[in-house]
Amino acid sequence: MNQLPTDTICLLSSSQVITSVVSVVKELIENSLDASATNIEVRLDNYGLDRIEVRDNGDGIKSADTSFMALKHYTSKISSHDDLESLATYGFRGEALASICAISEVTVTTKTADDDVSFQYILDNTGHVVSQKPSHLGQGTTVTVLKLFKNLPVRKQFYSTAKKCKEELKKVQDLLMAYSVIKPELRIVFTHNKTIIWQKSKVSDHRMALRSVLGAAIMSCMVPFQHHCKDPEWWC
């Protein structure tokens, strides 16, 4: 019996966090929402195997944090386990971006309101920044993921048929539709191979969000109701 090398351990653990194209999109979307984004664009090439790009207009990543933004277990969401009692974000583990780096090629372009210009950062497979340069993009963050599962042929083999690829595309769309319902103020555009697959504009409330996502015909068959919890500490 032999102990596995560190890089192999990292690769295997990352493949448990990032298992599919939709899991990459989910992690990046949630980072965007945690950054108070109101506009998100999701772009896929070749069903996400060649390229996944998520661009938002959120708060951006502070320049002081960019060196650590993709390192495992670095996060701005919590500082100790006590913070889990009052967690108000989607992400908090500090694993997603590091795991994505381990199984693909990742570039992050980001700018905060205080920055004069945005910067593009190229990351290696351990999440370290290997180069950076100024960019023309405005406030927010763009994460570009290339060659997903390039070093995990077993994962990539899952997408060997057109049926599997189309099913994954539908899963991504369903995910975006779900976030669109719970976030009425969010504008989302979903593009595959430069063709818009689905989009939703910013709307005023959840009723309008449901109408935008599900359509007027389904909405006309739905009955509104309200439920109030007796225990204010729990949401129902």
Side-chain angles (χ1 to χ4, degrees), residues 69-70 122 202:
M69 61 186 172
I122 296 178
K202 175 183 177 180

Side-chain angles (χ1 to χ4, degrees), residues 141-207:
T141 300
T142 299
V143 180
T144 304
V145 179
L146 304 176
K147 301 178 182 178
L148 185 65
F149 301 133
K150 63 176 184 177
N151 47 1
L152 279 175
V154 174
R155 289 283 190 211
K156 196 167 185 177
Q157 189 177 7
F158 179 79
Y159 302 101
S160 59
T161 67
K163 180 182 178 181
K164 291 289 187 181
C165 289
K166 290 178 181 177
E167 287 175 352
E168 194 71 8
L169 204 64
K170 183 62 167 60
K171 290 178 182 178
V172 173
Q173 182 175 335
D174 289 345
L175 175 74
L176 300 181
M177 291 171 73
Y179 284 122
S180 294
V181 170
I182 63 176
K183 294 286 186 179
E185 72 280 7
L186 183 64
R187 174 183 178 268
I188 292 185
V189 180
F190 176 35
T191 303
H192 178 242
N193 291 343
K194 299 182 180 180
T195 299
I196 295 178
I197 301 298
W198 184 82
Q199 60 183 323
K200 169 198 163 284
S201 300
K202 175 183 177 180
V203 293
S204 57
D205 53 36
H206 289 94
R207 180 187 293 272

Side-chain angles (χ1 to χ4, degrees), residues 25-77:
V25 175
K26 178 180 181 295
E27 296 291 354
L28 297 181
I29 285 283
E30 291 182 350
N31 278 348
S32 295
L33 294 177
D34 286 342
S36 303
T38 57
N39 186 55
I40 300 177
E41 298 177 13
V42 179
R43 303 172 183 173
L44 304 185
D45 288 341
N46 188 25
Y47 301 98
L49 297 176
D50 290 349
R51 181 188 184 95
I52 301 171
E53 184 173 280
V54 175
R55 177 176 298 182
D56 68 50
N57 66 340
D59 298 331
I61 302 170
K62 296 177 181 178
S63 57
D65 294 334
T66 54
S67 297
F68 315 105
M69 61 186 172
L71 298 184
K72 215 171 188 64
H73 306 309
Y74 275 78
T75 178
S76 60
K77 315 292 177 61

Side-chain angles (χ1 to χ4, degrees), residues 55 109 111 117-119 133-139:
R55 177 176 298 182
T109 305
K111 178 183 182 297
V117 297
S118 59
F119 274 86
K133 63 180 181 180
S135 169
H136 67 281
L137 297 183
Q139 182 178 331

